[in-house]
Amino acid sequence: MSAPTRERVGRFRILTAAADALRGTHHDSGVPTVACPRCATTVRTRHPLPTAEAAREGSALHSALLDHLFRDCPATEVAR
């Protein structure tokens, strides 16, 4: 698999993608995880939350996903 190409996207599109991705939240060894919608990297949190709580906007998993999308995602360049 080749490395994802960087695409310039706006903040609203990133927020929408993150909210949609939270629907795919699952538990991996008791820790909630979600796949990044842009690069398919597994994003997880250290907080052991139930799936219903982890899948909400504003949860620790949502914050970790947004942090990844805005700072670490190799497929995303934030348009300012």
Side-chain angles (χ1 to χ4, degrees), residues 5-10 13-14 38 75-80:
T5 58
R6 289 183 70 92
E7 181 182 349
R8 197 170 186 160
V9 293
R13 190 167 165 201
I14 290 175
R38 307 289 298 157
T76 303
E77 180 180 337
V78 180
R80 304 230 180 223

Side-chain angles (χ1 to χ4, degrees), residues 24-79:
T25 301
H26 61 279
H27 275 73
D28 184 22
S29 302
V31 177
T33 61
V34 67
C36 173
R38 307 289 298 157
C39 68
T41 300
T42 301
V43 178
R44 64 190 59 189
T45 181
R46 296 180 198 174
H47 304 287
L49 302 171
T51 303
E53 187 176 332
R56 292 186 189 157
E57 289 185 46
S59 68
L61 184 60
H62 185 244
S63 296
L65 180 58
L66 287 177
D67 187 49
H68 170 75
L69 284 167
F70 279 109
R71 296 185 181 149
D72 303 329
C73 185
T76 303
E77 180 180 337
V78 180

